[in-house]
Structure formats: C-alpha cells, structure tokens
Amino acid sequence: MANCLTLKKSNCKNCYKCIRYCPVKAIRFSGNQAHIIGNECILCGRCFVVCPQEAKQIVDETEKVKVFLQSGDPVIVSLAPSFVANYDGVGIDSMRKALKQLGFYDVEETIVKTEYERMLKEDDRDVVISSCCHSVNLLIQKHYPAALEYLADVVSPMQAHCKDIKSRFPNAKTLFIGPCVAKKDEAEHYSGIADAVLTFEELTQWLKKENIELKKEMDQNPASRARFFPTTGGILKTMVQDVPGVTYLALDGVEDCMAALRDIESGKVHHCFIEMSACEGSCIHG
C-alpha cells in the first residue's frame, strides 16, 4: 500500500493540513515530518489533494506501461467511465484514437455485469455492502472489521473487466485508467489481473509530452449504462430493485460511510443494500 502514495519529506512544511483532513487519522507527525501509517491508510487521496506543498506523491507507473508497450504483446486499456468528467466533451472514440497513438492495442470502457441482484434474491443476505470502491473495502478491512461479513464477495468492475479482456486476449497486458489512487493498491494486491494502473492526471501528462490532443467529439452511439457507475447511486441505477423488504441506499463520502458502518456494527441496520463510495460525488468527482 505504501508504494502507491509516498511522502517527499523535504517538501513538508509542518502545516498539519493532511492530518486535519485525513478521515481515518492515518497520518502522524514526528521529527518535524508527517508520516503516513500504511496499515491505517485507506488511500482516499485527501492528503494528496489538500497538501499545499505537493509533499504527497502518487507513484507514477507510466514508465512501467511503456515497457509493456515495447514488449510486443497487446496492451489493452480498461478505461473508467468517469473519464467523461475529467475530459470535457471527449467521447470514447476520441480516447481510443489518442491512446492508440501512444501504442495501445485497444481501449474499452470498464463495463461489467454485477451479481448484487442475485445475492439479494438467492443468498438471503441481511445487509450487503457494494465492493466496487477499493477505499471503502480498505476502510472496512482496517477500521470496521465487524462489518466485513456484509461486504459483497464480488470483484470490482476493474478486476472483472481486466479478467474478461485476458479471457479474450490471453497474451494481453491490461492497463486500468481512472481517477483513483486506491486502484493502484488493488492491482498490486490482486496481482495478475490489472497489470498496471494510471490516474487521469498521469495519462494527461503523457499525452501532453507526446503532443497528442484529445479531440472534443462525443460518441454517436447511445450512452452506455456503465456511465452511471461512477455517479452517486450509479450501481443502483443499473440494478433491478425488486427484492421485497430490502431498502436500497447510496452513500458517498468517507464520513457518511463511517457513520453507516458504525450503525451496521451496532446492529441498527437490517434488510439493506448499501452502495458506498469514499469520494463525495462518487468516482466522477473523485
């Protein structure tokens, strides 16, 4: 985990801003430096965003991806649907053209079919928490272990899509591109599925260096339902909410997720499916 988010100690100016903004208090201050506590951090990225000195750094995997491109094997991109928020007016066709110029074999949007509906209907589960957000998964694992039994044993859209790509192209390398630093940790933890992860910022820098411009042209084909996924309640928008007695909720923001997890651990929540996103506004605002 610590490999994904690092600290440039020389840049830290003792402003304590990262400590104030960390929702799980995973940053300590000693020896005139801030220190990220790896076994408590949920990789929500807030410290990276609020640091005025750019002391927090996300580890860039661009060079690793360039090595994949030089290997001769096809490198296929799983592109998070939230790209539409990061690249205003740019559709999947424009993204594909630009990424192919970088040398990628193909680009696909991260589209999956979920098992949440089946779990609620067939498994007689009392409370089910969605498992798409890796920061929420880390939050439960590290800070609310009593709620682990309610976390859906369903792989994330990133993992499901990368597995699907490799089933169709057995010798392919997979690259996930999205807004989230936590996905780097997820790819590292579940090795052999997503071979590398880039953030949109890393992709933007790479395209800029290669003088590749993203053309503003939206897709002519009907919008994919997967575009709902990165919005608050996006999973719920794709689900058939027809299980009698089950309440369907969508929560975004670490604080709201933590409040719900406390209620779940204390036995106050029953017969509920909860879609949780660590970022306020979900991935599209991540």
Side-chain angles (χ1 to χ4, degrees):
M1 193 288 308
N3 293 334
C4 304
L5 191 60
T6 60
L7 181 66
K8 279 182 70 175
K9 293 185 178 181
S10 60
N11 282 18
C12 184
K13 301 300 181 184
N14 313 347
C15 72
Y16 304 102
K17 204 168 185 180
C18 58
I19 294 175
R20 292 197 301 271
Y21 278 86
C22 179
V24 293
K25 308 306 176 191
I27 300 176
R28 307 284 192 274
F29 197 83
S30 64
N32 294 321
Q33 295 290 334
H35 300 274
I36 299 170
I37 311 302
N39 60 2
E40 296 179 19
C41 174
I42 62 169
L43 288 168
C44 64
R46 282 195 191 176
C47 61
F48 173 79
V49 173
V50 302
C51 180
Q53 303 297 331
E54 296 185 356
K56 312 296 185 299
Q57 290 189 317
I58 295 171
V59 173
D60 192 333
E61 295 185 71
T62 304
E63 292 305 316
K64 177 181 178 181
V65 177
K66 287 180 179 178
V67 172
F68 289 158
L69 290 173
Q70 293 166 3
S71 70
D73 291 331
V75 185
I76 299 175
V77 174
S78 174
L79 182 67
S82 51
F83 79 87
V84 294
N86 202 79
Y87 301 105
D88 185 40
V90 176
I92 184 65
D93 293 336
S94 292
M95 293 297 293
R96 182 177 289 111
K97 288 175 187 174
L99 285 160
K100 283 191 170 186
Q101 282 183 262
L102 289 176
F104 291 99
Y105 181 80
D106 202 5
V107 179
E108 300 178 1
E109 271 189 89
T110 313
I111 300 171
V112 299
K113 297 177 181 178
T114 79
E115 286 199 352
Y116 296 130
E117 294 167 2
R118 185 200 62 76
M119 291 175 68
L120 291 168
K121 288 179 179 178
E122 299 175 15
D123 292 355
D124 195 29
R125 302 275 287 266
D126 183 19
V127 176
V128 176
I129 303 170
S130 64
S131 56
C132 290
C133 176
H134 189 61
S135 285
V136 167
N137 298 345
L138 291 174
L139 176 67
I140 295 171
Q141 291 164 12
K142 295 181 178 183
H143 299 277
Y144 297 92
L148 262 176
E149 63 179 295
Y150 305 113
L151 185 62
D153 49 350
V154 175
V155 298
S156 71
M158 177 186 79
Q159 290 188 57
H161 190 213
C162 287
K163 283 183 174 181
D164 175 62
I165 290 171
K166 289 193 171 189
S167 72
R168 291 181 281 123
F169 302 91
N171 63 330
K173 294 290 186 184
T174 53
L175 167 66
F176 178 79
I177 304 177
C180 181
V181 62
K183 288 299 182 186
K184 291 178 180 282
D185 176 71
E186 183 182 344
E188 187 178 306
H189 185 75
Y190 300 97
S191 61
I193 300 175
D195 296 300
V197 172
L198 294 182
T199 63
F200 290 137
E201 288 76 12
E202 289 163 359
L203 174 62
T204 299
Q205 288 300 314
W206 190 0
L207 290 169
K208 188 176 180 181
K209 285 180 182 177
E210 298 296 332
N211 294 314
I212 296 173
E213 187 177 345
L214 288 167
K215 293 183 179 179
K216 292 195 173 187
E217 51 182 32
M218 292 305 292
D219 309 331
Q220 299 302 312
N221 47 344
S224 164
R225 292 181 80 196
R227 296 279 168 84
F228 285 129
F229 265 79
T231 63
T232 301
I235 296 170
L236 295 183
K237 291 184 180 80
T238 68
M239 289 177 63
V240 179
Q241 302 175 35
D242 63 350
V243 180
V246 172
T247 301
Y248 296 82
L249 297 175
L251 299 174
D252 59 329
V254 176
E255 286 78 11
D256 284 353
C257 292
M258 290 168 70
L261 289 166
R262 286 192 292 269
D263 285 345
I264 290 168
E265 286 192 335
S266 62
K268 296 178 182 177
V269 178
H270 297 284
H271 309 300
C272 195
F273 175 86
I274 309 176
E275 176 186 339
M276 291 191 183
S277 300
C279 291
E280 293 180 14
S282 196
C283 307
I284 210 150
H285 291 291

